[in-house]
Amino acid sequence: MHHAATAAAATVPGEATRRYLAALRDRGPLTIDRSTAPTRHKRYPGAPRIVLPWPTSPDRTGLSAVGELLRELLGVARLIWFHQVDDTGRPVGGPPVLLLGRPAPSGGALYPIEAYLAVGGPETAGLYHYDPVHHLLERVRDGDHRAALAGIPDVAPAVRPDVVLVLSAVFWRSMFKYGDLGYRLVCQETGVLLAQALAVGERLGMTGEIRLRFADPRLDRLLGLDGRREGALAVLVLELPDGPVRPGRPVDPGDPPPAVPESTPAPRRMPPGGAAAALHEATRNAAPPTREVPGATSPGGAPAAREATEFALPPAPAVRLADGVPYRASPPVGFRPVPLAADTLAAVLAAAAGPYPSDLARDAPATELYLLALRVGGLRPGAYRYDRERRVLCRVAGESAVAGVLGGRLLPNTRIALPGAAAALIPAGDPLAGVPRHGDRWYRMQQIETGLLLQRATLAAAALGLTARIHSDGANETTDRVLGLAGTSRRSLSFLCIGTPRAGGPALARPIPAGPRKGGGHPQITYGRQC
Ligand SMILES: Cc1cc2nc3c(=O)[nH]c(=O)nc-3n(C[C@H](O)[C@H](O)[C@H](O)COP(=O)(O)O)c2cc1C
């Protein structure tokens, strides 16, 4: 009886999302059993391999360009010599630790996202897994699966995308530490990596389009994933600068050859019966992909009512997001309290909130953007809503906003970082607004867009000599109250502190491969900005 009631409730669109949100709100302290932590990458030891050029070859065509894209997504990018410090930056003693840094941020540096690639070509046609440790592709299936993964199984070979990238999440990698919250993190990290892929792809002359509306069971089956231990969360269709790859042997997607087994032990499944497992199950049952109705109202929700003063941002300098990739790293102990120029802020906001190519409606973003301004030239400290159309900041709270946010439940490192930051970006949205159209999959889409927006802001900041760190705990009920969201259906979705990097610090990082020697001296070594 109880079981039947639960099953019925789970089929009501939005119910799994509501339960998940309630579970996160009411969760108590977490107990972490590190003995259950899986490895931070996976392999297919028996699979045929394609070793990718290292360092990438100068021609940057075909698989060389794809290899460079993958390395700048998930590769081992930095060697970090880290002196252990507490949350205030004071040394805690003990020997320094050596860390491997990756190009994009990841909650707790757990790196739960895996990348798969479908390529064509007479010799290369196959479905590959990227092994970031050895920088190679492992062929998990033969044949040309590009059209099937792109959701266009019936198109002729000539109009197939050159390459299709699929991002999947190994849920337990994040959830062993963060419990149900891990599901939110893996969705955001998928968005982070999509932003990174679009930025790097653009530098490499590729064009990409994000697909978030696909049939999970079909995609997971093709990738050889069970959907519960690991499941596909996003697809990126890519066109390469040197044109289409020659078509390979087509494969009937209904009867694919068996996948090669992955390394063992396999990570655990999401705890069955938990709120995250139920939500993921509900997001898998998405409505079939259809194009959005033009002119639809924003599912992010209506703007807040109590806006008064407006601040017109100055013209933003052009910034290429890929320029931020080599410099991006989350600052370990906050920022140097230096003001930020308003035009620099304008560039970061424009980069974050601009349109992106996807199968979501272009005129109906899933998120809106708020700003907590601490020290921005010409802008009174306070909280603002960013009007992405007019590129104007609308003041929603006065100077007390910063103290208000600091009065919320924040982790110690956020308490240290925020006062030195120039600003904090806060994506917000209604977690249920898109349910009528997308069902519970809306939760995923909105969280993915949140991550994408955060990473675009981060890359813009890094390209402009700044640094940024996600502080997820900054998105809380107190912040919502400060922003005027309390009592509305919208809420803060994440929190990104942006500021000037400190000189020195507990970390010393060396890029892999080593950067160019400047004046014949040491390879490029960065202090403080890495880790
Ligand atoms: C979705 C997401 C959430 C994160 N949340 C936090 C957070 O709450 N607090 C924090 O200090 N860092 C947070 N981070 C930053 C990670 O800790 C950081 O990316 C990781 O340690 C790797 O370091 P790096 O960014 O310097 O490469 C988050 C990163 C991501 C992608």
Side-chain angles (χ1 to χ4, degrees):
M1 172 74 186
H2 171 73
H3 188 77
T6 312
T11 60
V12 175
E15 194 52 34
T17 302
R18 279 194 193 89
R19 288 180 184 197
Y20 179 73
L21 295 171
L24 290 193
R25 197 177 52 236
D26 303 337
R27 75 193 183 127
L30 285 169
T31 45
I32 304 169
D33 179 359
R34 291 189 185 273
S35 69
T36 71
T39 57
R40 292 175 195 191
H41 72 288
K42 67 183 255 192
R43 295 182 56 218
Y44 289 85
R49 301 157 175 203
I50 298 179
V51 177
L52 294 164
W54 179 273
T56 39
S57 71
D59 68 352
R60 294 211 178 114
T61 54
L63 282 180
S64 168
V66 167
E68 186 154 347
L69 176 74
L70 290 168
R71 190 169 64 82
E72 295 196 28
L73 270 188
L74 292 171
V76 178
R78 286 170 288 147
L79 202 56
I80 304 159
W81 181 258
F82 187 72
H83 293 267
Q84 297 183 61
V85 292
D86 64 15
D87 285 320
T88 66
R90 269 192 292 269
V92 296
V97 288
L98 203 58
L99 307 170
L100 295 178
R102 301 228 198 162
S106 169
L110 295 169
Y111 304 106
I113 307 299
E114 296 286 332
Y116 297 84
L117 210 64
V119 292
E123 272 117 52
T124 50
L127 194 51
Y128 296 86
H129 168 253
Y130 176 56
D131 171 352
V133 174
H134 303 93
H135 191 53
L136 52 80
L137 294 173
E138 300 164 315
R139 185 148 71 198
V140 293
R141 280 192 196 285
D142 285 336
D144 186 351
H145 300 278
R146 291 172 297 162
L149 289 178
I152 43 170
D154 303 326
V155 297
V159 290
R160 285 179 197 164
D162 294 341
V163 173
V164 180
L165 177 75
V166 181
L167 297 177
S168 72
V170 178
F171 302 108
W172 189 246
R173 249 186 240 164
S174 184
M175 289 177 69
F176 93 87
K177 181 173 178 193
Y178 294 112
D180 281 339
L181 176 69
Y183 190 71
R184 173 185 295 178
L185 293 175
V186 300
C187 292
Q188 290 191 3
E189 291 187 39
T190 301
V192 163
L193 290 171
L194 288 170
Q196 183 99 341
L198 286 173
V200 175
E202 187 188 359
R203 197 197 74 221
L204 295 169
M206 302 175 183
T207 51
E209 183 172 309
I210 296 168
R211 305 267 162 86
L212 300 181
R213 307 170 70 182
F214 48 82
D216 289 30
R218 190 175 50 77
L219 222 72
D220 286 339
R221 203 171 50 245
L222 210 52
L223 294 165
L225 309 178
D226 71 352
R228 273 88 189 177
R229 224 182 284 277
E230 179 179 352
L233 294 181
V235 172
L236 184 65
V237 169
L238 286 166
E239 301 298 334
L240 304 183
D242 51 338
V245 182
R246 277 174 295 156
R249 184 164 56 85
V251 169
D252 176 1
D255 185 21
V260 178
E262 65 177 86
S263 46
T264 52
R268 293 187 180 193
R269 289 179 161 211
M270 282 195 242
L279 175 58
H280 181 61
E281 199 54 42
T283 66
R284 282 166 63 78
N285 297 328
T290 51
R291 287 269 159 189
E292 289 293 316
V293 184
T297 52
S298 166
R306 58 187 178 106
E307 292 165 4
T309 324
E310 286 191 353
F311 177 81
L313 288 159
V319 14
R320 194 172 72 150
L321 296 187
D323 292 344
V325 171
Y327 303 107
R328 187 224 61 86
S330 307
V333 279
F335 306 86
R336 201 143 53 91
V338 173
L340 176 63
D343 64 342
T344 305
L345 176 69
V348 171
L349 289 169
Y356 60 94
S358 88
D359 58 354
L360 282 182
R362 277 158 233 273
D363 58 345
T367 55
E368 46 181 357
L369 196 51
Y370 284 81
L371 179 84
L372 193 62
L374 288 92
R375 42 180 72 82
V376 180
L379 185 65
R380 282 160 60 207
Y384 296 82
R385 191 181 68 84
Y386 179 58
D387 182 330
R388 61 200 341 146
E389 301 300 326
R390 296 188 300 137
R391 299 197 176 183
V392 159
L393 287 170
C394 310
R395 195 167 166 88
V396 296
E399 205 154 332
S400 62
V402 176
V405 169
L406 279 168
R409 266 199 299 171
L410 296 177
L411 292 174
N413 77 331
T414 307
R415 230 167 255 300
I416 298 290
L418 182 58
L425 284 196
I426 310 163
D430 180 345
L432 295 166
V435 167
R437 183 172 297 158
H438 302 288
D440 289 285
R441 197 176 185 87
W442 172 248
Y443 183 81
R444 253 205 228 177
M445 294 166 152
Q446 189 176 57
Q447 293 293 331
I448 288 175
E449 183 170 292
T450 299
L452 179 133
L453 190 151
L454 294 174
Q455 183 64 359
R456 293 204 304 187
T458 298
L459 290 178
L464 293 164
L466 302 168
T467 187
R469 182 173 200 119
I470 301 173
H471 288 266
S472 305
D473 50 304
N476 59 41
E477 285 170 11
T478 306
T479 300
D480 292 348
R481 222 174 13 255
V482 169
L483 299 179
L485 300 176
T488 77
S489 55
R490 287 163 301 132
R491 60 183 68 203
S492 50
L493 301 172
S494 187
F495 195 92
L496 181 76
C497 289
I498 300 177
T500 301
R502 288 183 185 282
L508 184 153
R510 185 174 194 235
I512 305 172
R517 285 172 189 272
K518 284 186 182 143
H522 293 294
Q524 182 195 333
I525 293 183
T526 334
Y527 298 89
R529 288 186 69 184
Q530 315 284 328
C531 191

